[in-house]
Amino acid sequence: MPRRRPPNIRRVAINTGGGDAPGLNAVIRAVVLSGLNHGWEIVGIRDGYNGIFRPQEYPDGGLVPLTRTRVRGITHLGGTIIGTTNRGNPLHYPTAMPDGTMKEVDRTDDLVEGLKEHEIDAVVAIGGDGSLTIANALAKKGVRIVGVPKTIDNDLSKTVVTFGFDTAVSFATECLDRLHSTAEAHRRVMVVEVMGRYAGWIALNAGVSGTADAILIPEIPFDLHAVATKVRRRAGAGRNFAIVVVAEGAKPRGGRRSVLEKRLGAAERLGGIGERVSVALGQMTGRETRHVVLGHLLRGGTPTAFDRLLSLRFGSAAVRALAEGRTGVMVALDPPTVRYVPLAQATERMKTVPLDCDTILTARELGICLGD
Ligand code: F6P
């Protein structure tokens, strides 16, 4: 193994990018406290990289000094104290052209310059696939950078789990528990749409834990006749209600995903499939249906103990990585330990639900309809 030399670090910046996830503040706290132990100064870049691109918009110039006092009492708080954004990706930055049109432009060179101007020696980038792809591009341009995998969607490969996912699944499960009683009281079919983008992890894990009757995930294009049959069979057995969980990225067999909005410099916004499924199931079964969109509720609130601990471990590990002279890596959970994987590998493939995984098998063996 090549020996790494401890780098000459004086100032480290933290960046939180993309949709927020419970546990972000715990990571920030761990990076700050561990970094202070090395004598480093830690700052937070406001709202993704906006603090560097548009410093004039912030009274503090776009960089938040992160002292011991500033990170006191934040481990259990949702959100991020330095702000985030899932718009304005530096690799595809929406820019006005001379002819008045808008075009996506790679602005990572400006970002590298901005980091230099602020005398930032290293960056801890906390984010999902978008933010970690940006981190990888910065690493290639010589920025000393370590990534921390964040997303409620759990769609990052190379880590067993991302922080935020456990909280999202726990809350969705609690919602399913609550919906059971009202569904039964009214003899309704309740369709619950959950986030997760193109991966069905939240829908599957919450659906199985919350004893849903049907779970529709992007990995298995669905046939609603199968779900309607399940609803009818339950009714035939005296169970006059049903709970159907639908991932926002699920799509009918031969059909399309439900997209709410396509945006310049940002990922498409998914949503609406819950309502479509609810209306169609009502027509097919003659039953009264209702749909609920859990949406951003899954991203808010207090992180579970699992997510807090994982976030604190990830934050400390990121600082250890920098102190050991590593760069261009992401911290990853590989139980019982946290290890480092190259950012290039961490972002090359989206982690979707394998169709032969044991949770899918469990769902089938429990009689849960997966829409196929
Ligand atoms: O990636 C996290 C996530 O919450 C996805 O599950 C969802 O599709 C997306 O972000 C929603 O983004 P926005 O905050 O722009 O609505």
Side-chain angles (χ1 to χ4, degrees), residues 14-58:
I14 304 179
N15 145 268
T16 55
D20 64 334
L24 274 171
N25 283 322
V27 181
I28 292 173
R29 179 172 155 89
V31 172
V32 171
L33 297 187
S34 309
L36 291 177
N37 290 338
H38 290 278
W40 303 342
E41 178 194 349
I42 317 286
V43 293
I45 304 173
R46 290 237 182 240
D47 303 341
Y49 289 108
N50 284 350
I52 300 280
F53 282 128
R54 307 206 293 264
Q56 68 285 356
E57 290 180 12
Y58 301 93

Side-chain angles (χ1 to χ4, degrees), residues 252-336:
R253 204 177 285 167
R256 288 169 183 235
R257 262 185 220 114
S258 221
V259 176
L260 290 177
E261 194 189 357
K262 286 191 193 290
R263 308 168 293 187
L264 208 61
E268 63 185 9
R269 201 150 71 83
L270 301 174
I273 188 68
E275 183 170 10
R276 279 168 57 191
V277 165
S278 167
V279 170
L281 270 183
Q283 286 162 355
M284 290 164 84
T285 62
R287 303 292 302 279
E288 196 175 28
T289 61
R290 291 287 187 272
H291 76 277
V292 181
V293 180
L294 295 186
H296 295 83
L297 289 169
L298 299 176
R299 296 222 307 244
T302 300
T304 58
F306 178 90
D307 274 338
R308 288 186 209 186
L309 180 59
L310 184 61
S311 302
L312 295 168
R313 289 173 71 195
F314 276 171
S316 287
V319 167
R320 281 198 298 277
L322 288 177
E324 288 167 11
R326 294 176 200 266
T327 180
V329 295
M330 179 188 87
V331 303
L333 181 66
D334 185 8

Side-chain angles (χ1 to χ4, degrees), residues 18-20 86-87 129 150-153 155 194-198 202 248 263 267-270 295-296 299:
D20 64 334
N86 54 12
R87 314 201 79 145
D129 62 337
K150 162 238 71 169
T151 168
I152 63 164
D153 306 334
D155 58 357
V194 297
M195 282 185 169
R197 281 212 302 175
Y198 310 120
I202 298 177
E248 63 179 357
R263 308 168 293 187
E268 63 185 9
R269 201 150 71 83
L270 301 174
H296 295 83
R299 296 222 307 244

Side-chain angles (χ1 to χ4, degrees), residues 81-131:
I81 60 166
I82 58 177
T84 187
T85 176
N86 54 12
R87 314 201 79 145
N89 179 338
L91 286 164
H92 307 278
Y93 205 86
T95 307
M97 296 288 107
D99 65 359
T101 57
M102 294 296 284
K103 214 177 135 192
E104 292 182 358
V105 169
D106 181 349
R107 287 200 54 198
T108 45
D109 282 337
D110 296 337
L111 185 51
V112 173
E113 270 319 298
L115 293 171
K116 277 191 196 142
E117 275 167 26
H118 288 287
E119 298 182 333
I120 289 165
D121 305 309
V123 176
V124 175
I126 315 169
D129 62 337
S131 310

